[in-house]
Amino acid sequence: MRNLWLFLRRYNAFFWFILFFGFSMFLVVTNNSFQRASALNSSNSVIGHIYEKVNSWKSYLSLTETNDQLVKENASLRTQLENYLTTDTVAMAKSPVIDSSEFGRYEFIIASVTNNSIHQKSNYLTLNKGSLAGIEKGMGVLAPNGVVGIVLNVTPHFSTVQSLLHPDTKISVTLANTDVFGSLVWGSNVDYRFAMVKEIPNHVKVKTAEKVYTSGYSGHFPKGILVGAVVETGISSGDSFLDLRILLSTNFSNLHHVYVVKDLFSKELKQLEETNQDNG
Amino acid sequence: MARILLFNIIRFLVLIAMQVFLFKNIGYYNLASPFPYILFIFLLPTGISNFLLFTIAFLTGLTVDVFYDTLGVNAAACVTLAAYRVFFMKITIENDMDTFITPILGEMNFKWFLSYTFFGTLIHHFVLVLLETFSFKQFQYTLATIGLSCIFTMAILLIFSFLFYKRKSRI
């Protein structure tokens, strides 16, 4: 017994290491398998408040750019509105045609970004609104000029967003000239300006600079939101699909105001799709 | 004694704040990201008990993790760093384990400090990056990340050390 005690004392550093390292590993593993639903993340109210404080100072530094972005968005919205007012329907064909049956399907909740990361392998954002403002898990998040990500966790006053710059994020997109659809993933894991579109069939001819829009199939995002433009085509992934490299229209290094998309039909859609799975 | 405690608390607050608000946003794409907060663990005084050292290292890692949304990853890396520290101290410093010296550049010689921080940073980043990727796919990419991040962190650590360099007051 005494020898055992001496042995434990002599190599105590090693045993402490095993104990603490084991506990850390336990945290890592549980945190991964529960999709980071743990209370100790950045939507936690204490950390959220600290980030919000820091951000309230930081936001002054980029006021000019933010204003510029908002003015540009206003201008583009005005142009779109003009399209509906003209009697000449041929002029409308320039922008993607929007199905009028989908009017009133989506609501947009304005939120500002209190924390953003672009240099990690899995990037997350924190927004300053939560379940009290109507944000729920799984909603899409848009920036003035493109898509941002999908809501991951919600607390009453904050929410975290799984950015598009995350290996698990997949968004259904379509091309401007052809009606095929593929899925948008970050892919590169290195550069926050570029992403990949995968699963485009091989026979489709894609030109560079062709615009990429959301398809609206996933229900996270409305149809026809600009995602980016193709910069490189014909990347072969080894099977019968084509990969495209696209330049994202969202500037992830400078995100301040975002819109959380609330799909009013999401519950209905989910119910319907669940019945499909039961039968098939 | 109170002085050492005060200095360590200040060092902790400043380094963690810089890490989560400044260095988190700095990086060379995703290949290199600096983690200079580990300087706090390097500079804990010699002669503290192993249990205290491991607890402090674990809590430091956990604090950074909470801000990074990577629960446990930094904590594991910091605990490994603490184990390395115990080992390195045992083989390089002789028997004065009861005196409290901050192993800073002015107290120790440059060669000792450089090897101490370099291998520590390497081990810390190795565990950190490996746990973060959690796979052996594209292992050369992971190794490149470890190497480049290590150089990045070392550069910042040395800049900090020289900024607060004080000539040895005793022999």
Side-chain angles (χ1 to χ4, degrees):
Chain A
M1 196 62 212
R2 194 168 150 272
N3 280 341
L4 179 70
W5 181 240
L6 281 178
F7 174 74
L8 285 178
R9 266 193 61 168
R10 191 170 151 74
Y11 296 106
N12 66 345
F14 178 71
F15 291 110
W16 286 128
F17 169 67
I18 296 287
L19 209 70
F20 277 100
F21 195 79
F23 185 58
S24 311
M25 287 306 293
F26 168 76
L27 283 180
V28 173
V29 171
T30 39
N31 199 40
N32 280 350
S33 60
F34 286 113
Q35 267 83 36
R36 293 157 201 273
S38 154
L40 283 173
N41 59 26
S42 66
S43 68
N44 171 312
S45 59
V46 179
I47 308 290
H49 276 120
I50 297 177
Y51 268 134
E52 199 178 23
K53 275 270 150 54
V54 171
N55 193 58
S56 74
W57 289 100
K58 262 184 12 193
S59 64
Y60 283 103
L61 295 175
S62 51
L63 271 185
T64 330
E65 273 170 82
T66 315
N67 280 341
D68 209 40
Q69 245 175 31
L70 292 176
V71 168
K72 264 187 202 150
E73 199 195 5
N74 269 347
S76 80
L77 289 178
R78 214 167 258 280
T79 336
Q80 275 180 29
L81 191 67
E82 208 62 40
N83 282 336
Y84 289 106
L85 295 177
T86 47
T87 42
D88 186 5
T89 47
V90 180
M92 274 174 66
K94 262 188 261 170
S95 60
V97 180
I98 293 163
D99 192 348
S100 61
S101 69
E102 290 199 344
F103 279 172
R105 176 172 169 186
Y106 296 100
E107 274 180 10
F108 297 92
I109 302 163
I110 305 161
S112 62
V113 180
T114 59
N115 172 37
N116 183 14
S117 69
I118 50 173
H119 292 300
Q120 313 300 315
K121 283 194 181 55
S122 321
N123 293 289
Y124 299 92
L125 297 96
T126 313
L127 306 183
N128 70 341
K129 293 220 173 126
S131 58
L132 290 182
I135 296 179
E136 282 165 30
K137 199 174 165 173
M139 285 180 174
V141 179
L142 297 175
N145 47 9
V147 295
V148 174
I150 291 161
V151 175
L152 189 67
N153 281 316
V154 187
T155 56
H157 295 100
F158 296 99
S159 50
T160 48
V161 176
Q162 180 176 310
S163 165
L164 175 61
L165 311 179
H166 187 289
D168 296 340
T169 312
K170 253 189 177 182
I171 293 167
S172 175
V173 292
T174 175
L175 298 172
N177 298 340
T178 35
D179 261 349
V180 295
F181 56 94
S183 55
L184 175 73
V185 292
W186 188 21
S188 72
N189 288 350
V190 173
D191 198 331
Y192 63 86
R193 289 170 305 170
F194 297 98
M196 306 283 285
V197 175
K198 299 209 163 174
E199 292 155 28
I200 295 280
N202 245 340
H203 62 84
V204 179
K205 294 254 185 317
V206 186
K207 294 191 193 89
T208 51
E210 190 171 344
K211 294 255 163 58
V212 180
Y213 296 95
T214 55
S215 68
Y217 289 147
S218 56
H220 298 302
F221 297 102
K223 199 172 168 180
I225 303 265
L226 180 66
V227 171
V230 177
V231 287
E232 195 181 344
T233 59
I235 305 163
S236 163
S237 55
D239 39 30
S240 60
F241 291 115
L242 200 66
D243 289 356
L244 308 173
R245 190 149 182 259
I246 69 164
L247 179 67
L248 292 169
S249 58
T250 318
N251 182 3
F252 276 93
S253 65
N254 184 18
L255 280 180
H256 296 283
H257 296 281
V258 293
Y259 307 107
V260 182
V261 183
K262 184 176 189 177
D263 185 0
L264 298 177
F265 296 161
S266 69
K267 228 175 240 168
E268 195 179 325
L269 196 71
K270 206 178 254 173
Q271 267 176 10
L272 182 70
E273 283 174 357
E274 265 168 19
T275 50
N276 280 356
Q277 279 167 4
D278 287 346
N279 294 336
Chain B
M1 190 65 209
R3 220 173 105 90
I4 288 179
L5 184 68
L6 183 71
F7 270 120
N8 273 297
I9 290 171
I10 293 171
R11 205 178 284 137
F12 176 80
L13 292 177
V14 170
L15 281 173
I16 296 288
M18 286 182 92
Q19 181 66 46
V20 297
F21 297 130
L22 178 65
F23 292 117
K24 190 184 172 188
N25 303 316
I26 297 177
Y28 177 67
Y29 295 125
N30 270 352
L31 276 175
S33 40
F35 291 93
Y37 76 95
I38 55 174
L39 186 64
F40 170 71
I41 298 168
F42 281 130
L43 296 190
L44 285 171
T46 57
I48 62 171
S49 76
N50 283 340
F51 175 68
L52 193 61
L53 174 65
F54 277 108
T55 316
I56 292 173
F58 179 76
L59 290 179
T60 311
L62 203 65
T63 318
V64 174
D65 274 332
V66 169
F67 282 96
Y68 267 69
D69 276 335
T70 52
L71 200 61
V73 177
N74 275 293
C78 283
V79 169
T80 319
L81 180 62
Y84 154 82
R85 194 192 126 112
V86 170
F87 175 71
F88 195 87
M89 290 284 178
K90 200 179 259 174
I91 59 171
T92 54
I93 296 182
E94 281 162 27
N95 63 30
D96 51 352
M97 282 310 266
D98 294 329
T99 50
F100 286 86
I101 306 170
T102 305
I104 203 165
L105 204 50
E107 298 277 347
M108 304 298 185
N109 68 46
F110 182 71
K111 269 185 199 163
W112 185 89
F113 187 76
L114 190 68
S115 54
Y116 173 53
T117 45
F118 177 73
F119 289 114
T121 311
L122 200 62
I123 286 172
H124 175 271
H125 285 27
F126 184 77
V127 175
L128 183 76
V129 175
L130 218 57
L131 278 182
E132 206 180 13
T133 36
F134 222 76
S135 80
F136 289 107
K137 268 189 235 161
Q138 294 183 310
F139 194 62
Q140 66 276 46
Y141 175 75
T142 311
L143 282 183
T145 312
I146 293 168
L148 288 173
S149 300
C150 192
I151 293 168
F152 205 161
T153 308
M154 273 309 287
I156 295 168
L157 283 192
L158 289 179
I159 289 170
F160 277 173
S161 307
F162 280 117
L163 272 181
F164 296 100
Y165 181 72
K166 250 193 297 180
R167 205 162 273 280
K168 219 185 267 188
S169 52
R170 49 201 187 85
I171 301 159

